[in-house]
């Protein structure tokens, strides 16, 4: 049930819709990407099933990533229901992921390059240029790829501090300090 549904029609009509026309198949949210000034912080504009209901059952979605100079997707994250194919349109982005053997694989991805993050792996992207913004587009093989944030998933959930301390081979005071730091970022 975690995969996109296998449909037997051209598209799926939302339950509350009476008539479908061509506007159902159009998303205009990406128009905001063509503004003159890049954002001051990392920004993502998504085209998933949540933002674009026509994608339901189509096994595809996009995300447009705008990196300010030196900016990053923060924090580490994974997409449990899809691989991610990153295409750098402008700038240079350092990317990497940790495979299931615990091996870190990193790459400098330049304008015109693509990089694949396998489904479900913890990964990162950041703009290594300190004075130039970067822009990339990610394609996903799911209308709802999902995002699991490493920090929120571990430290934002209701996992007891004692369990986290044992897992990370540290003490409760350190875990609480990490949680306070993450809370301050919000």
């Amino acid at each position: 049930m975690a995969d996109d549904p296998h449909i037997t029609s051209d598209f799926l009509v939302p339950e509350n819709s009476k008539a479908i026309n061509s506007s159902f198949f159009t998303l205009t949210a990406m128009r905001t990407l063509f503004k003159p000034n890049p954002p001051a912080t990392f920004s993502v504009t998504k085209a998933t099933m949540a933002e674009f209901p026509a994608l339901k059952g189509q096994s595809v979605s996009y995300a447009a990533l705008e990196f300010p100079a030196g900016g990053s997707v923060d924090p580490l994250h994974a997409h449990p229901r899809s691989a991610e194919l990153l295409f750098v349109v402008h700038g240079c982005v350092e990317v990497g992921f940790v495979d299931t053997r615990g091996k870190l694989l990193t790459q400098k991805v330049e304008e015109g390059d693509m990089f694949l993050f396998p489904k479900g792996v913890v990964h990162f992207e950041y703009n290594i240029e300190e004075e130039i913004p970067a822009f990339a587009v990610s394609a996903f093989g799911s209308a709802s790829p999902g995002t699991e944030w490493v920090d929120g998933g571990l430290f934002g959930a209701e996992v007891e501090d004692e369990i986290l301390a044992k897992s990370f081979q540290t003490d409760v005071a350190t875990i609480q300090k990490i949680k306070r730091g993450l809370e301050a970022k919000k």
Side-chain angles (χ1 to χ4, degrees):
M1 297 306 293
D3 276 341
D4 287 357
H6 295 285
I7 61 175
T8 57
S9 60
D10 294 337
F11 54 90
L12 297 175
V13 179
E15 291 178 24
N16 298 332
S17 295
K18 293 186 171 119
I20 297 293
N21 59 33
S22 58
S23 65
F24 175 72
F25 300 98
T26 304
L27 178 72
T28 60
M30 298 291 178
R31 290 178 183 174
T32 62
L33 299 172
F34 300 97
K35 56 191 176 286
N37 297 320
T41 60
F42 171 77
S43 176
V44 61
T45 305
K46 296 179 184 178
T48 70
M49 189 172 62
E51 297 82 18
F52 193 12
L55 294 178
K56 185 173 184 178
Q58 301 299 323
S59 299
V60 65
S61 60
Y62 273 120
L65 311 173
E66 297 178 279
F67 298 88
S72 69
V73 178
D74 189 26
L76 298 171
H77 63 283
H79 304 289
R81 295 182 292 274
S82 179
E84 176 181 354
L85 184 59
L86 179 83
F87 174 65
V88 177
V89 177
H90 177 75
C92 185
V93 180
E94 182 81 21
V95 299
F97 68 87
V98 179
D99 71 13
T100 57
R101 299 168 295 158
K103 182 174 170 84
L104 174 64
L105 300 157
T106 63
Q107 182 68 40
K108 184 172 119 177
V109 186
E110 299 181 34
E111 199 168 290
D113 293 347
M114 295 179 108
F115 189 84
L116 175 71
F117 299 104
K119 181 179 182 177
V121 301
V122 173
H123 61 278
F124 63 87
E125 304 103 340
Y126 77 94
N127 180 2
I128 61 175
E129 300 289 343
E130 291 296 326
E131 298 187 22
I132 302 168
F135 179 73
V137 177
S138 288
F140 299 92
S142 171
S144 182
T147 303
E148 292 179 333
W149 301 103
V150 172
D151 67 347
L154 292 172
F155 298 101
E158 295 181 13
V159 179
E160 294 179 24
D161 291 349
E162 293 78 15
I163 293 171
L164 290 171
K166 286 182 183 196
S167 293
F168 288 100
Q169 300 178 2
T170 189
D171 55 54
V172 170
T174 301
I175 296 299
Q176 291 172 344
K177 183 176 179 182
I178 292 169
K179 285 183 172 182
R180 283 191 303 275
L182 293 172
E183 188 61 37
K185 281 177 44 176
K186 292 181 182 177

